[in-house]
Amino acid sequence: MSETRPLAASGRRWPRDVIGLAAIALAGGAGYVLFPDSLAFLTRIISIALLVLSLDLLIGYCGIATLGQSALYGAGAYAAGIAAVNGLTDPVALIAVGALAGGVAGLLMGAVLLRAHGLPQLVLSIAFVQLFHEMANKAASITGGSDGLYGIAPGPLFGLFAFDLYGKTAFFAGLGLLLLVFAALSFVVRSPFGMTCRGIKEDPLRIRAMGIGVRPTLIKMFALSGAVAGMGGALGAIATQVVGLDSVSFELSANALVMLVLGGFGSLYGALIGTVIFLGVEHEVSAINPFHWMTLVGVMLIAVVLFAPRGLYGVMTDAVARWRGRP
Amino acid sequence: MQTVLSIAVDAFAYGMVLFIICIGLSVTMGLMQVVNLAHGGFAMIGGYIASYVARDMGLGYAAAVLAAIIGTIAIAIPLERFLYRRVYAQPQLIQVLMTIGITFCIIGITNYIFGPTLKTIPLPAALSGPVDIGFRTIAAHRLFVMVCGLAVALGLWLLIERTAFGIRLRAAVDNAAMTSALGVRTEFVYAVAFALAMGLAAFGGVVGAEFLPIEPYYALRYMVTFLVVVSVGGAGSISGALAACLLLGAVDTTGRYLFPDFGNFFFYLAVIVIVCAFPRGLLGREQARG
C-alpha cells in the first residue's frame, strides 16, 4: 500500500523459510492432535488457504483488485471432480488436473481483467465469476448443477493410503500439498519474477520504461495464481467427494478477500493466518446466528481498514520490530 | 408484437428502477472517487423502513416513502462523517474493503432488528390496478416507476446544470483542491451530495421493490448489478448512467423473456463485452488517474 518500506531483500533467507515451513507443519500437527474429530473442517481450512494464497499473489504482490478468485478455485474443483467421475482416481493426478484447469482459467481471467483498471476491472472480475457460476449451474449434465457433483471416489494416495471415513489421509495429503505450495511460492515471490510483479504494483510506468512487458508478466502471475487456486479446489473436491455451486460463488470470493485482509496482504503468512482465524471464528459464531457473524465480519473489516491496514500479520511484525528496537 | 411491447415496457420500467438507485452511486463515485459497495445497503435500509412504516404501522405509501428517505439520510450522514471521509483519498482496494464491511454490518444489523424475512411494501389501490394507455393496458405501478425515473433524471439535471450548488458540485468533481482554494466548502458539498445519493438510493429501493424484492441479502445480491451499471455508464455521468440502465435493463429483461433458462447469463456476458469495449464506460470521462 502507501507505506514506504523497502522491498524485502532478496538475499539468503532460507533459514527463515525452513522455520516458517516447520511452523506450518507444527500448526497442522497441533490441529490434528487437538481436534481429531474435525479433520474434515481442518482440511477445508487448508483448501481455502490455497485459495487465499492465490488471491494474495494477485492482490498483495501485483496490486490487482479482484472479487472473482473463486472462479479459479471452482474451475479446479469441477475439473478434478469431473475427471474423477469419469474414471481418473489417482489423487495426485486429480490435483494436477485441478492445477491445470485453474491455470487455464487464470490465463483467461487475466486476459479479460487486464483490459481495464480500477472499478471496471473489479466489475469484470465479478462478472467473470458470475458467468462461471451460471455455466456450472446450467451445464447440469456435466457438473450436477445445483444438486452438486457427486460420485467422486479417489483411489489410495500413492497407491498406499486409502481415503478413510475420518479424513486422516485427506488431511495429511492437504497439509503436504500446502507445505509444497508454500515453499514454492516463497521462492517465487522473491525471484526476479516476483520482484518484477511487486515493481508493477508500485509503479507500472517505471517498469515499462525499464523495458519489461507489464501485461505478459501479470498474465503469468494470473496463470500461477490460477494453478494454486485450482489445486485448492481439487483438494476440496477430493476431501469432501462433492463439488457444489458455492465453490464458484461471489460470496466465496468476497470471503477470501476478507480473510486475506484480516491476515494482511503482501505476505504469504498473512494469508494463512487470516484463513485460519476467519474460518475458525465463523465455525463457532455462525452456528449461533449467521447475521451476528456478518455483523462481526463487517466490524472486523472496518477496524482493520482504519487501524491495521497491513492486517494481523502486519500488527505482529510491527510488534516484533518494536520489541527489538527499531532498526 | 405483443411480446415486443411487453418486453419494452418491462425493460423501460426496470431500467428506471436501476437508474433511480444507481445514479447516487454514480455521483458519489464520480465526485468523491469512492467505490461505495454499500450503496445497495442504503437502498435496503430504505426498503426495510418503508416496509415497517407501511405494513407494520399501517401508514400510507407516501408516508412510507418519505420515512424511508429521511431515515436513510439520517443514518447516512454520520457514516459519511466518521467512516467514508477517512477513505476518500485512499487506494480503491481500501475503499472496497471498508464498504464491504459496512455492507455486512448493514445486513447483520437490519436483520437482527427487523427479522430475516422477505419484506413487502403494500401498494396503495391507485398504484396496484392496471391503466389503459390507449393501445394496451399496463400496471399502474410500472407507469409510476417510469414517471419517477424521468422526474429524478430531470430534477438532477436541473440541480446540477442550473443551480449554484450544481456549479460547486461540478467544480469539485473537476478539481477538488482548486475548488476549495476558491472558497467553496468542498466537505459540505460532499456531505450534501452523499446525503442526496443515499436518499435517492432509499427512494429507488422502495419504489423498485416490485422488481428487486427487499430480502435479507438484498445489499449483497444486487451489489453487483449496481456496480455494473455504474461502470458501464461511466462514473459521474448522468446521461451515461441513464443509457447504461436502459441498455442493461433491456438486455436483462429480454434475456429473461426469451431464454428464461439462462437467467443472468446474458446479462454478465453483455457486461464483459461492454466493459472490454469501453473500459471507461459508455459516456464516462477521462479520470485523472494512473
Side-chain angles (χ1 to χ4, degrees), chain A residues 149-167:
Chain A
L149 182 64
Y150 287 96
I152 302 167
L157 183 66
F158 305 127
L160 292 174
F161 308 102
F163 282 87
D164 51 310
L165 196 60
Y166 306 102

Side-chain angles (χ1 to χ4, degrees), chain B residues 9-10 12-13 16 138 141-151:
Chain B
V9 168
D10 271 3
F12 190 65
M16 279 302 154
I138 60 170
H141 175 257
R142 304 262 144 117
L143 208 59
F144 173 66
V145 167
M146 293 178 203
V147 172
C148 285
L150 293 176

Side-chain angles (χ1 to χ4, degrees), chain A residues 59 115 118-120 122-124 126-127 130-131 134-135 138 261 265 291-292 294-295 297-299 301 305-306, chain B residues 29 86 92-94 96-98 101 104-105 107-108 111-112 116 217 224 228 231 261-262 265 268 275-276 279:
Chain A
I59 293 189
R115 294 190 61 90
L119 174 73
L122 202 65
V123 168
L124 274 180
I126 299 173
Q130 299 282 19
L131 205 59
E134 287 297 318
M135 285 197 298
K138 291 307 166 196
V261 170
F265 46 83
F291 290 110
H292 288 341
M294 287 204 99
T295 314
V297 172
V299 171
L301 260 181
V305 168
L306 291 184
Chain B
M29 213 169 279
R86 289 161 165 256
Q92 259 174 352
L93 183 63
I94 298 293
V96 165
L97 295 170
M98 160 83 96
F104 282 173
C105 284
I107 293 179
N111 284 296
Y112 177 69
Y217 290 97
V224 180
V228 161
S231 74
D261 284 348
F262 286 91
F265 189 81
Y268 291 113
V275 175
C276 280

